[in-house]
């Protein structure tokens, strides 16, 4: 395995992957307002954590670097689903955010109707990309199954529903963990597990454990960052429920557990996934 650091991996893959996303949507979407609104959020400076994790797992499972572009449709589908979720999350009837990644949110730029449709378009296009991928049928089916299971009403959509309907209630630690697991961790878990499936690597409980741990850790880090910025004071977050220090401890424990889990993974190069854990130290 030549590339050992997650940041180096991203640096080498991202230019081609970003071009792929742009070219593909530009060639497929003919309705210009829809295309502009979809591309606006897809190109708004997201970190691409989920597709890079998917590709890193495929690479760590033995896919050659020069073959990674065959996996771009599925990596892209994961990013399309993530982008749709952010557009819809920002809507006035959801989190009501005017800004995302330092730019106007999609509905502030294009209006609520177009933003809803841009999200709808990204979500459905994701499954078109998976169906059109050149990977074997069983791999494409696994990608559809895992992504729809984790991003839909059994995962992310359920978490979002709890979030918007329980806003005024104080959640218990268990309820909050379930909410975060569904809303944030399930899509990250999907990126990791789909990467293993698509690369023909047998999925183990260790890799699932790693994925779940980093998924929850991702939300805790985001909550801690927001707490530092003085945001989310009245929301159901771990820093509000158990305090900042206990949240930091919980985050550190999740990162340690993820590290121990991935080290147990057999016939798999661990370097990239261990190196990804640096994300939580920044
Ligand atoms: C609308 C069905 C539906 C779901 C929305 C993703 C989501 C569910 C809500 C976002 C709430 C939020 C900010 C959660 C914290 C963790 C998170 C998902 C952060 C954003 O992901 P990043 O940091 O974003 O990967 P970038 O901008 O880099 O793509």
């Amino acid at each position: 395995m030549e590339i050992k650091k997650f940041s180096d991996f991203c640096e080498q893959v991202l230019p081609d992957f970003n071009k792929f996303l742009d070219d593909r949507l530009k060639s497929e979407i003919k309705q210009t307002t829809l295309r502009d609104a979809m591309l606006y959020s897809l190109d708004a400076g997201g970190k691409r954590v989920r597709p890079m994790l998917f590709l890193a797992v495929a690479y760590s499972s033995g896919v050659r670097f020069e073959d990674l572009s065959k996996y771009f449709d599925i990596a892209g589908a994961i990013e399309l689903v993530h982008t749709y979720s952010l557009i819809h999350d920002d809507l006035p009837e959801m989190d009501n955010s005017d800004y995302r990644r330092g730019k106007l949110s999609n509905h502030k730029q294009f209006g609520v109707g177009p933003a809803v449709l841009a999200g709808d378009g990204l979500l459905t296009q994701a499954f078109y990309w998976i169906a059109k991928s050149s990977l074997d049928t069983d791999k494409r089916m696994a990608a559809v199954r895992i992504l729809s299971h984790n991003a839909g009403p059994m995962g992310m959509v359920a978490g979002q529903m709890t979030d918007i309907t329980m806003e005024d209630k104080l959640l218990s630690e268990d309820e909050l963990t379930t909410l975060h697991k569904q809303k944030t961790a399930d899509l990250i878990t999907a990126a990791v597990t789909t990467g293993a499936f698509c690369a023909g690597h047998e999925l183990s409980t260790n890799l699932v454990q790693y994925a779940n741990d980093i998924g929850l850790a991702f939300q805790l880090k985001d909550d801690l960052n927001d707490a530092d910025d003085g945001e989310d004071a009245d929301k159901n977050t771990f820093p509000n429920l158990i305090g900042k220090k206990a949240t930091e401890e919980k985050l550190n424990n999740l990162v340690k557990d993820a590290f121990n889990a991935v080290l147990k993974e057999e016939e798999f190069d661990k370097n990239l996934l261990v190196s990804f854990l640096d994300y939580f130290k920044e």
Side-chain angles (χ1 to χ4, degrees), residues 176-211:
L176 191 57
T177 304
T178 304
L179 188 160
H180 285 341
K181 188 191 162 304
Q182 292 180 325
K183 196 180 83 166
T184 303
D186 277 359
L187 188 56
I188 292 174
T189 298
V192 171
T193 52
T194 312
F197 258 112
C198 288
H201 180 78
E202 206 162 309
L203 195 58
S204 73
T205 48
N206 296 320
L207 203 57
V208 174
Q209 171 83 50
Y210 170 89

Side-chain angles (χ1 to χ4, degrees), residues 45-50 79 82 84-86 88-89 94 100-101 151 156-157 160 183-184 218-219 222-223 226 279:
K47 297 183 288 297
R48 313 282 195 223
V49 168
R50 295 153 194 79
E79 187 66 6
H82 167 61
Y84 124 78
S85 79
L86 297 181
H88 282 193
D89 184 58
M94 299 248 188
R100 162 83 50 194
R101 303 157 173 158
M156 183 174 71
V157 175
Q160 183 75 353
K183 196 180 83 166
T184 303
F218 202 81
Q219 176 71 49
D222 198 70
D223 282 353
D226 285 350
Y279 173 81

Side-chain angles (χ1 to χ4, degrees), residues 9 12 16 21 32 36 68 72 94 113 129 158 164 174 181 185-186 213 230 246-247 255 265:
F9 181 80
Q12 295 202 38
D16 286 347
L21 289 178
T32 50
D36 290 349
L68 280 176
F72 277 8
M94 299 248 188
W129 284 13
I164 66 167
D174 279 354
K181 188 191 162 304
D186 277 359
D213 287 340
T247 307
V255 174
E265 189 64 15

Side-chain angles (χ1 to χ4, degrees), residues 54 74 127 130 135-150 190 193-200 203:
F54 165 85
I74 306 218
F127 291 93
I130 298 175
L135 298 185
D136 293 345
T137 311
D138 59 333
K139 293 178 177 165
R140 283 182 282 132
M141 286 306 290
V144 169
R145 178 174 53 76
I146 299 169
L147 194 55
S148 55
H149 181 276
N150 285 27
T193 52
T194 312
F197 258 112
C198 288
L203 195 58

Side-chain angles (χ1 to χ4, degrees), residues 64-122:
R64 292 183 315 166
F65 187 82
E66 48 280 22
D67 290 335
L68 280 176
S69 60
K70 287 187 200 143
Y71 295 75
F72 277 8
D73 342 46
I74 306 218
I78 295 168
E79 187 66 6
L80 295 186
V81 171
H82 167 61
T83 309
Y84 124 78
S85 79
L86 297 181
I87 295 175
H88 282 193
D89 184 58
D90 289 338
L91 288 168
E93 294 301 320
M94 299 248 188
D95 207 34
N96 194 18
S97 302
D98 290 353
Y99 291 92
R100 162 83 50 194
R101 303 157 173 158
K103 289 175 69 174
L104 285 177
S105 50
N106 199 289
H107 66 275
K108 279 283 154 190
Q109 181 74 18
F110 295 95
V112 171
V116 170
L117 292 172
D120 293 342
L122 289 161

Side-chain angles (χ1 to χ4, degrees), residues 223-236:
D223 282 353
L224 283 166
N225 289 347
D226 285 350
D228 284 344
D229 296 343
E231 291 173 28
D232 290 354
D234 54 350
K235 287 191 179 171
N236 278 306

